[in-house]
Structures are given as structure tokens and as C-alpha cells.
Amino acid sequence: MSDASSFLARNRNAIVVASLAAAAATGAYLYYRETQATSTGSTADSETSAAKAEKKTVSTEPKDAIYPVTSEGLPDINEETIANLSDKEKEEWALALKEDGNNEFKAKKYTEAIAFYTAALLLKKDPIFYSNRSACYSALNDHVNVIKDTTEAIKLKPDYTKCVLRRATSYECIENYADAMFDLTALTIYGGFSNKSIEQVLERVLKKQSMKIVDSKPKELRLPSAATIGSFFGAFLKETEPEGISEESTGADAFLYQALKNINSNTPQAYEDADTLINQAVEAYNVEELSKDSEEAAKASIALEYLAAFQFLKNDPASAASHLEKAIALKPRPRSYIFRALINADKSSYTESLSDFAKAEEMDPNCPDIFYHLGQLFYLTGDLSKAQANFEKAKELNPDNVFAYIQLACITYKNGSIEAANEKFTEAKLKFATSPEVPNYYGEILADKGDIQGACKQFDIAARLQESLPNFSVGALPLINKASIISRESFERIDEAGELLNKACELDPKSELARITLAQIKLQKDEVEDAIVLFEESSDLARSYEEKVQATSFAEATKVQKRIKQDPILTAKISELMAQNGVLQ
Ligand SMILES: *[C@@H]1O[C@H](CO)[C@@H](O)[C@H](O)[C@H]1NC(C)=O
Ligand SMILES: *[C@@H]1O[C@H](CO)[C@@H](O)[C@H](O)[C@H]1NC(C)=O
Ligand SMILES: *[C@@H]1O[C@H](CO)[C@@H](O)[C@H](O)[C@H]1NC(C)=O
Ligand SMILES: *[C@@H]1O[C@H](CO)[C@@H](O)[C@H](O)[C@H]1NC(C)=O
Ligand SMILES: *[C@@H]1O[C@H](CO)[C@@H](O)[C@H](O)[C@H]1NC(C)=O
């Protein structure tokens, strides 16, 4: 794939950071962090002084109870028994019951301890008693009752962090991740956003929740946006008509002819059609019956290769690999091995990948595609000098591959020579005057350097060039790129960014990046509902599991944020924290 620069990866990182902020409550989090370079790490827990005092007065055995007990020594108390007690007596009984409950708890007699706390609660609705009883239920793994008791305690004392944490843990155990996240977020707020360990738990639960959602959806294999497909095929020599196939061909050959024609015309609809046609071709060739190395086999093998390529693009590498094996068995071409090398590289099997490239090179030492993709492999694994050598060879063998020029310019930039990189981009611009790729990636380099104005200019050029092309090349990328940098540059340009992204979504409805970026803008504008929908759509559009989980986690984090905002107590706490740190709202 065209990772012509690491911009996308970087952009994704930016998104991750933003999601952490979302997960940790509200946008306020970021501002807060910035003003609080050194956090004080105040303890999140706030036990009452009564609770602290209680620790000192632990008795050992339940002896001479001041309240009635059963023959088993358990409290014998009901509404009637207590009806005539004075307030003072009630207080004393309750305290005694709680202490005896604590002793039972220490002796790990949880069911008994529950009886004492239950009796204490009849006398007094004290959040500590609920908390104590919830500890027993927790020890018994009775999460439903833990949640009931902690909920009562929290109603009486909203910032009872010990209970909030205990409830969160139980919610997590019963896989109610949404409520667990709400509680964990509340904890980060009560902890003044300084509790790293809670944040880690929050991230873990968010991931579980997102995976659960993604796992529950039916798996659909879809083609990515035309821009992605275009840059995939664009990095190969243009496929010419295979031997023995022409416009007049019929049957399987006709399907293959039409499929290749559609691939070469490079529009979203053409790719969808090509996908169908290539499946029809493979079926019509009846590959199981063909004899190796025949002319039919050669054509069928090409059909199988493309079928594999489409499957790879749909993120179904297993099917892709199996069809490539068939293609290779029938009649391999260098491209068959290159496709397999890409599948291997994608799953980090670099040794296998390199050996596939070697096989391709044995077949045709002058096939430029080998060197371009080898360059990619080295680029992605960080071996820049080998990447450079291979891209140079690819460029020499196929001077029409714009991506080789772009990659070389990017390597030069990574190497630290900005001047030389500029020169290389200028060279590419002269050679590929109508290519939107060159200004788009040049813009990314400029953005990386911090030259916002220069970058915007390049993105504008790229967008204009794309507009005047009949086919897809960068698609919506320049619009997305521009929107990203201007929205980060200043809040004033947020509406402009939003407009660009609306256009991007229209231009490339399959671009998950356009949606996820627009969702970020919506979040900044506090249009939370819209953001959630866009994140969810973006998850549906994404093809890889990881991307789906990530987009879903943004949606889920945003939902928590929305709930927090609707909670008056937590909202007040956030305002208080911000006021303490002199942050304007
Ligand atoms: C973070 O929160 C956990 C759970 O409430 C608590 O045990 C821990 O002491 C807190 N750490 C800090 C630094 O506040
Ligand atoms: C409580 O007091 C009422 C009247 O004052 C009396 O009738 C009743 O028996 C008492 N109940 C108990 C359990 O002592
Ligand atoms: C009961 O609550 C008190 C105060 O929070 C605490 O010190 C004690 O450890 C608790 N006991 C149990 C069993 O949770
Ligand atoms: C990167 O730097 C090395 C060492 O200075 C040099 O040999 C190489 O040619 C440079 N690569 C590019 C693409 O400029
Ligand atoms: C898109 O169309 C232009 C102009 O027709 C052509 O030069 C270019 O090669 C096409 N690009 C792709 C990737 O098909």
C-alpha cells in the first residue's frame, strides 16, 4: 500500500491521543493537563474521619452484644425490634453491629458479616455500611449485589471513591463495560485527573467494550476506498492485455478483459465492477481442470492473482494467499510472487517475504515492481538506505512510477536534508505535472516541518488536480490533510475544517479517515451526537480489526463523555478543578 509517508500513521497517533482525552472525561482534561505540568497525585479515596477512627476500635469477638442475637449469635433485629429505640440507642446499636460485621469479615465469614451489616442498615442508612456489605458481596463474587450496595452508598455519598471503584470492578466482571467506564471516569475526575492507574484500567475496559462491539457485528468483506485501491495498483506497472485476450474475447477471457479494463480506469464504480468480474473470470476458467503451463492456465493464473489482490485489499489475507498458491501452481509471474510477498510482509513474515521477492527476481531481474515493493518493505522496517537503493532501482526501471519519486523524496526528508527533499519534490512535480500525489505528499512533509501555510498551499493544489482528473488518485486525502492541520492550528478555523471534511466524505464515501477526522471536529465543537455517529460509521468502513476497534473505542469514549456531561455532580467537580487551576471555560 502507498505509505508514501508516515503521515497517516502519525495522524492516527494524534487520534489516539485525542481519544485518551475523551476517555478521561471531557475536553477539559487536556486543558487541565496542560496547566498542571506536575500533578500532586492527591489520593482519590476520601474516607470519612469516622471511618478512620473506626480502624482503631476493632474488637475481636462478638461478645455481650447490646442488641438481641439468635442462638447462632447473629443479630436478631427487625423493624419491630427497633421501633421503640431512641436515636442514641439506634446509633450505638448500629456502630456495634458494624464492628461485629467487620470482625466476621476479617474472619472471612462473609455471609455472617452480611447479616450484621444488614442489621446495621436497618438502624441507619450509612454509606459505610453499604460499602462494608458490598465488600462482603465482592468477596463472594456476587457482583449483582455489589452493584446494588455500592449504588446505595454512592447515592448517599457521590464521591465515595472506594465504592465507585468497587462498583466499576463489578461492572467489568459482569461485562457491563459502559457503566464501568462511567465509574472509572468519575474516579479520574475525583482524583483530579492525576491517577494514572485508573486511566490504565479505563483504557483496558474501553478496549474490552470496543472489541465486544466489533465482535458482535457480522463480518463483511469490503473493498477500501478507491484511493487506497488506486495507490495499490498504481505502484505496479500498468497491466497490458494478457496474451490471447482482446476486446473480442468471449467467456472467461471476456470477464478477465473487462476486469482489467475496469481496474485500469480507476474509479470507485470501476473497482466494484472489477471485483465482480474477476470472480466471474476465476469461476469461468474452471481452474481445477486446467493443465499447468497451458495458455488457459496462464490467463487463469492472472485472474487468480487479481482475485487475491482484491481479497488482500478487503483484508482477507488467508483467502488471498490460497488463491495465489493456485496461481503460482498454474503459471507464476513475478507479480504472483510480489503479491505473496506483500501478504507475508503484512503479517510481519519478513523472511518469507524476502524469499518471494527473490523468486520474482529470478524470473525477471528487471521487473521494476519488485524493487519498488522491496523498497516499501525496507522503508516500513526502518532500513532507509536499503529502501533508498531499491526505490532508485525501481525508478530507473520504471520512470513512470510516481510513488518511487515520492518515496525517495520522503527518505531524503527523513534523512534530515530538507533542501534536497524539496528538490526531489520539484523534480517529481515537473515530471508528473497533473499528479495530485506529488503535492499531497509534499504538503505532508511541509506540515511535518511546521510550515502550515506552505502545506495548505500544496493540499489545495492536490485537491484541485484531483478534481480535474477523471479517476481517483489521492481522493479525499488532500482535503482531510488540510482540515487536520488547520483545525489543530487554531480553533477559529474549525468551521472551515468541517466544511473540507464534509466535502471529503462526499467525494470519498468509503474513506473512514474522512469520517474519523470529521468526528474529531464535531467533538471540538461539542456536537457529541454527530461525533458518535461518525465514529461508528468509520468503524463500519474500516477493514482491519484493529482499526474497527479503534474507531469504536472513540465512539464509546465519546458516549461516556456525554454521560459525564449530563451528570450535575461530576460537571460541578470538573468546573471546580478547572477553576482551581485558573482555566477558563
Ligand atoms: C488511584 O486510584 C486507586 C483506586 O481508587 C487508589 O487505590 C490509588 O491510591 C490512587 N492513586 C493515586 C496516586 O491517587
Ligand atoms: C413499642 O412501644 C409500643 C407503645 O409505646 C408498645 O405497644 C410496643 O409493645 C413496643 N414494642 C416493643 C417491641 O417493645
Ligand atoms: C468497613 O468500612 C470501614 C470504613 O470505610 C473500613 O475501614 C473497613 O475496612 C470496612 N470493612 C469492610 C469489611 O469493608
Ligand atoms: C541519507 O544519508 C546518507 C548518509 O548521509 C546518504 O548516504 C544517503 O544518500 C541519504 N539518502 C538520501 C535519500 O538522501
Ligand atoms: C488517471 O487519469 C489520468 C488522466 O487520464 C492518467 O494519466 C492517470 O494515469 C490515471 N491514474 C490512474 C492511477 O489510473
Side-chain angles (χ1 to χ4, degrees), residues 240-523:
T240 50
E241 282 158 27
E243 215 158 303
I245 293 189
S246 73
E247 209 168 350
E248 281 82 46
S249 298
T250 55
D253 291 353
F255 288 131
L256 180 57
Y257 178 84
Q258 288 300 333
L260 295 177
K261 197 173 154 194
N262 273 294
I263 290 173
N264 283 337
S265 72
N266 186 20
T267 66
Q269 189 54 48
Y271 286 133
E272 297 293 333
D273 294 346
D275 185 27
T276 312
L277 286 160
I278 208 71
N279 274 285
Q280 288 170 317
V282 167
E283 209 168 298
Y285 276 121
N286 209 357
V287 291
E288 313 296 340
E289 313 273 291
L290 295 176
S291 57
K292 204 166 143 22
D293 289 334
S294 62
E295 195 190 72
E296 272 317 86
K299 292 182 288 186
S301 165
I302 294 173
L304 283 164
E305 256 178 33
Y306 277 94
L307 179 61
F310 275 97
Q311 285 167 335
F312 181 55
L313 286 164
K314 288 179 192 168
N315 201 39
D316 180 9
S319 306
S322 106
H323 286 110
L324 275 180
E325 291 315 321
K326 286 186 190 165
I328 288 170
L330 282 175
K331 177 110 180 100
R333 302 191 297 173
R335 196 174 292 206
S336 331
Y337 290 115
I338 299 172
F339 280 169
R340 196 169 72 181
L342 296 181
I343 295 174
N344 278 323
D346 197 52
K347 56 177 185 194
S348 306
S349 305
Y350 298 120
T351 316
E352 286 83 350
S353 185
L354 288 174
S355 117
D356 283 331
F357 281 122
K359 286 201 182 95
E361 202 176 340
E362 259 168 51
M363 292 190 84
D364 180 1
N366 288 321
C367 171
D369 299 346
I370 300 168
F371 304 102
Y372 177 78
H373 288 98
L374 259 177
Q376 280 282 65
L377 177 64
F378 288 123
Y379 187 85
L380 293 176
T381 54
D383 189 340
L384 289 190
S385 60
K386 277 193 183 159
Q388 186 188 348
N390 280 287
F391 284 134
E392 262 159 13
K393 189 148 182 197
K395 174 177 153 186
E396 193 188 307
L397 292 168
N398 176 14
D400 289 332
N401 183 355
V402 63
F403 294 113
Y405 289 72
I406 293 171
Q407 293 285 29
L408 282 167
C410 288
I411 290 180
T412 310
Y413 174 71
K414 272 200 168 182
N415 234 7
S417 20
I418 294 161
E419 285 302 310
N422 282 346
E423 269 170 36
K424 293 204 162 146
F425 272 114
T426 308
E427 179 200 347
K429 262 201 263 186
L430 288 174
K431 180 154 171 59
F432 303 96
T434 61
S435 155
E437 271 97 356
V438 180
N440 181 58
Y441 292 111
Y442 187 40
E444 293 188 3
I445 295 290
L446 293 176
D448 189 64
K449 245 176 33 175
D451 178 0
I452 305 294
Q453 232 185 326
C456 283
K457 194 175 147 211
Q458 295 303 319
F459 293 141
D460 286 340
I461 295 173
R464 232 180 301 124
L465 287 172
Q466 171 65 79
E467 227 169 282
S468 60
L469 281 183
N471 53 18
F472 240 54
S473 99
V474 286
L477 276 183
L479 300 174
I480 302 169
N481 284 341
K482 182 174 176 187
S484 299
I485 56 170
I486 66 174
S487 67
R488 255 178 275 154
E489 184 206 5
S490 96
F491 190 75
E492 259 113 70
R493 298 186 76 177
I494 201 108
D495 288 325
E496 191 188 339
E499 270 166 41
L500 286 168
L501 289 164
N502 278 324
K503 229 171 118 185
C505 289
E506 224 171 274
L507 177 67
D508 191 352
K510 283 187 139 189
S511 165
E512 70 261 29
L513 189 62
R515 271 161 214 272
I516 221 165
T517 315
L518 182 56
Q520 307 262 322
I521 300 283
K522 297 279 184 190
L523 264 192

Side-chain angles (χ1 to χ4, degrees), residues 178-197:
D179 286 331
M181 284 192 284
F182 179 79
D183 280 347
L184 290 165
T185 308
L187 282 176
T188 67
I189 295 169
Y190 289 129
F193 297 115
S194 63
N195 195 321
K196 284 272 171 253
S197 65

Side-chain angles (χ1 to χ4, degrees), residues 70-325:
T70 64
S71 52
E72 290 97 43
L74 294 177
D76 189 14
I77 291 173
N78 55 36
E79 298 292 350
E80 260 177 47
T81 345
I82 62 178
N84 294 349
L85 293 181
S86 71
D87 284 349
K88 187 164 171 287
E89 281 169 316
K90 281 188 187 172
E91 190 75 32
E92 282 167 4
W93 283 29
L95 207 64
L97 282 160
K98 185 197 69 170
E99 275 169 21
D100 293 339
N102 284 355
N103 287 331
E104 298 292 336
F105 184 91
K106 286 205 191 86
K108 296 198 161 54
K109 291 176 165 170
Y110 303 119
T111 320
E112 290 79 357
I114 288 170
F116 284 96
Y117 296 132
T118 304
L121 280 164
L122 276 177
L123 291 154
K124 189 183 177 201
K125 301 284 178 227
D126 189 320
I128 291 178
F129 303 165
Y130 281 116
S131 167
N132 283 166
R133 195 169 65 177
S134 73
C136 302
Y137 286 125
S138 177
L140 295 168
N141 276 323
D142 179 351
H143 298 296
V144 172
N145 277 314
V146 173
I147 292 165
K148 271 192 199 152
D149 274 357
T150 46
T151 300
E152 290 305 318
I154 294 163
K155 264 189 218 156
L156 296 165
K157 184 169 162 9
D159 64 347
Y160 202 162
T161 53
K162 192 189 246 184
C163 283
V164 180
L165 179 63
R166 191 172 288 147
R167 187 170 69 176
T169 309
S170 282
Y171 276 139
E172 187 184 354
C173 287
I174 62 166
E175 297 187 15
N176 179 348
Y177 301 127
D179 286 331
M181 284 192 284
F182 179 79
D183 280 347
L184 290 165
T185 308
L187 282 176
T188 67
I189 295 169
Y190 289 129
F193 297 115
S194 63
N195 195 321
K196 284 272 171 253
S197 65
I198 294 290
E199 273 173 45
Q200 279 166 9
V201 179
L202 188 49
E203 282 300 307
R204 184 188 71 210
V205 177
L206 177 60
K207 181 137 196 234
K208 280 192 191 171
Q209 162 82 337
S210 311
M211 285 167 65
K212 188 176 162 187
I213 292 173
V214 172
D215 289 340
S216 74
K217 290 194 178 166
K219 292 191 181 34
E220 276 177 73
L221 295 173
R222 294 189 232 215
L223 282 177
S225 112
T228 306
I229 308 177
S231 60
F232 178 82
F233 289 120
F236 287 90
L237 280 175
K238 206 167 183 149
E239 186 81 62
T240 50
E241 282 158 27
E243 215 158 303
I245 293 189
S246 73
E247 209 168 350
E248 281 82 46
S249 298
T250 55
D253 291 353
F255 288 131
L256 180 57
Y257 178 84
Q258 288 300 333
L260 295 177
K261 197 173 154 194
N262 273 294
I263 290 173
N264 283 337
S265 72
N266 186 20
T267 66
Q269 189 54 48
Y271 286 133
E272 297 293 333
D273 294 346
D275 185 27
T276 312
L277 286 160
I278 208 71
N279 274 285
Q280 288 170 317
V282 167
E283 209 168 298
Y285 276 121
N286 209 357
V287 291
E288 313 296 340
E289 313 273 291
L290 295 176
S291 57
K292 204 166 143 22
D293 289 334
S294 62
E295 195 190 72
E296 272 317 86
K299 292 182 288 186
S301 165
I302 294 173
L304 283 164
E305 256 178 33
Y306 277 94
L307 179 61
F310 275 97
Q311 285 167 335
F312 181 55
L313 286 164
K314 288 179 192 168
N315 201 39
D316 180 9
S319 306
S322 106
H323 286 110
L324 275 180
E325 291 315 321

Side-chain angles (χ1 to χ4, degrees), residues 515 518-538 554-563 565-566:
R515 271 161 214 272
L518 182 56
Q520 307 262 322
I521 300 283
K522 297 279 184 190
L523 264 192
Q524 285 186 54
K525 290 178 69 180
D526 212 17
E527 292 167 13
V528 177
E529 292 292 342
D530 288 354
I532 292 170
V533 172
L534 285 161
F535 281 135
E536 288 178 338
E537 286 173 352
S538 152
F554 299 156
E556 294 307 301
T558 308
K559 287 180 194 168
V560 178
Q561 181 174 336
K562 188 179 141 198
R563 260 179 82 181
K565 279 193 176 161
Q566 285 163 351

